[in-house]
Amino acid sequence: MKSDDWARLIALSVLWGGSFFFVEIALTGLPPFSVVWGRVALGALALAVMLRGRLPRGWAVWRALAVMGFLNNVVPFCLFAFAQGEISGALAAILNATTPLWGVVVAHLAGAEPLTARRLGGVAAGIAGVAVMAGGGAGALPAMIACLAAALSYAFAGLWGRRFREMGVPPLQAAFGQVTAATVILLPVWLAVDAPWRLAMPPAQVWAAVAGIGVLSTALAYALYFRLLVTAGAVNLMLVTFLIPVSAAALGALVLGTRLGPQHFAGFALIALGLWAVAKRPA
């Protein structure tokens, strides 16, 4: 990759790693559904501005985008938000790094890609890494399972999202369509569960965190992601999976004072080994 691509890759890892950091701050003043709805609503508005009226068209396209929004935004965003009430953003980011491993399994089960011995070994290493992190932390196990379920939902979304190229939907339009659909899907749930008119006014740092996760970690991150997809390619772009936990852990340590234990570093090393095995091109 060129130096510009490396700079964009690092910036993307900070933006997506920052999403876990922003959620951790936002949860101090807002319930999970309010945080998630604010994220997708602000993300949709920012992406609409970027598109300048070039929006997706057609019922078939919007039906597909609604499914994408459910799998890629509603389910994982909510699960991570609820999980981060129990575990740190850094640990959630590490568990999020299992997404490509789940992607290999989902693609194989759907008949889209073969599950080679090397890839199977990578998945096994990732599972071992999760087991190492879970050891001795039974109290956090439900939250960790929620994070893994969120990563699995991302994997299903990755498979579903392959259809948009055939449908002629440009990537940034697909990003706008999915977060817009997620905003609509979550609206009645947010109103019924959180009753936002009854919530206390959150402090300024909570509003700033919601704005950050919506505009920076969602809209700007999507724009950067699709630019990198063109200039660096999908294989090189997978490197961001290794960098997101680093960014999330650094932000958590510097600003929030959170710390990871030795078992978390050991577990991430195994997950990273698994990702390398999955991403490595055959000789």
Side-chain angles (χ1 to χ4, degrees), residues 168-214:
V169 181
L172 209 56
Q173 284 190 13
F176 165 78
Q178 65 178 313
V179 293
T180 301
T183 303
V184 174
I185 293 169
L186 278 170
L187 180 60
V189 180
W190 172 54
L191 294 176
V193 176
D194 285 356
W197 55 90
R198 296 179 183 172
L199 298 176
M201 180 63 67
Q205 67 264 26
V206 171
W207 287 113
V210 173
I213 196 176

Side-chain angles (χ1 to χ4, degrees), residues 2 15 30 42 58 75 139 162 172 189-190 199 211 218 230 240 252:
K2 297 179 180 178
L15 290 174
L30 289 171
L42 285 173
V75 173
R162 296 181 183 185
L172 209 56
V189 180
W190 172 54
L199 298 176
T218 302
V230 172
V240 78

Side-chain angles (χ1 to χ4, degrees), residues 21-247:
F21 164 75
F22 286 135
V23 166
E24 201 158 343
I25 295 175
L27 288 174
T28 63
L30 289 171
F33 282 127
S34 293
V35 174
V36 175
W37 192 82
R39 175 180 187 173
V40 293
L42 285 173
L45 285 173
L47 285 166
V49 172
M50 293 180 190
L51 285 169
R52 300 179 182 178
R54 301 186 299 273
L55 306 181
R57 299 180 184 277
W59 283 111
V61 170
W62 276 105
R63 282 196 297 269
L65 288 170
V67 176
M68 188 68 175
F70 181 76
L71 292 173
N72 206 43
N73 300 135
V74 174
V75 173
F77 288 1
C78 289
L79 286 173
F80 276 123
F82 278 98
Q84 283 190 243
E86 302 295 330
I87 63 175
S88 70
L91 179 53
I94 291 175
L95 294 168
N96 176 64
T98 62
T99 296
L101 305 179
W102 289 116
V104 168
V105 176
V106 169
H108 172 69
L109 293 177
E113 294 179 9
L115 184 61
T116 62
R118 189 189 72 250
R119 287 184 167 184
L120 183 60
V123 172
I127 293 173
V130 172
V132 168
M133 286 191 292
L141 189 59
M144 294 178 67
I145 291 173
C147 291
L148 292 174
L152 178 60
S153 188
Y154 278 139
F156 278 111
L159 186 64
W160 180 266
R162 296 181 183 185
R163 68 193 62 222
F164 292 114
R165 178 179 294 181
E166 297 176 2
M167 298 176 78
V169 181
L172 209 56
Q173 284 190 13
F176 165 78
Q178 65 178 313
V179 293
T180 301
T183 303
V184 174
I185 293 169
L186 278 170
L187 180 60
V189 180
W190 172 54
L191 294 176
V193 176
D194 285 356
W197 55 90
R198 296 179 183 172
L199 298 176
M201 180 63 67
Q205 67 264 26
V206 171
W207 287 113
V210 173
I213 196 176
V215 177
L216 300 178
S217 297
T218 302
L220 182 58
Y222 272 133
L224 200 57
Y225 171 84
F226 289 121
R227 174 72 182 274
L228 268 169
L229 194 61
V230 172
T231 61
V235 174
N236 287 327
L237 190 51
M238 190 174 283
L239 288 170
V240 78
T241 308
F242 294 89
L243 298 175
I244 289 172
V246 177
S247 299

Side-chain angles (χ1 to χ4, degrees), residues 91 94 128-137 260-270:
L91 179 53
I94 291 175
V130 172
V132 168
M133 286 191 292
L260 293 173
Q263 75 274 20
H264 300 134
F265 290 106
F268 179 58
L270 286 168

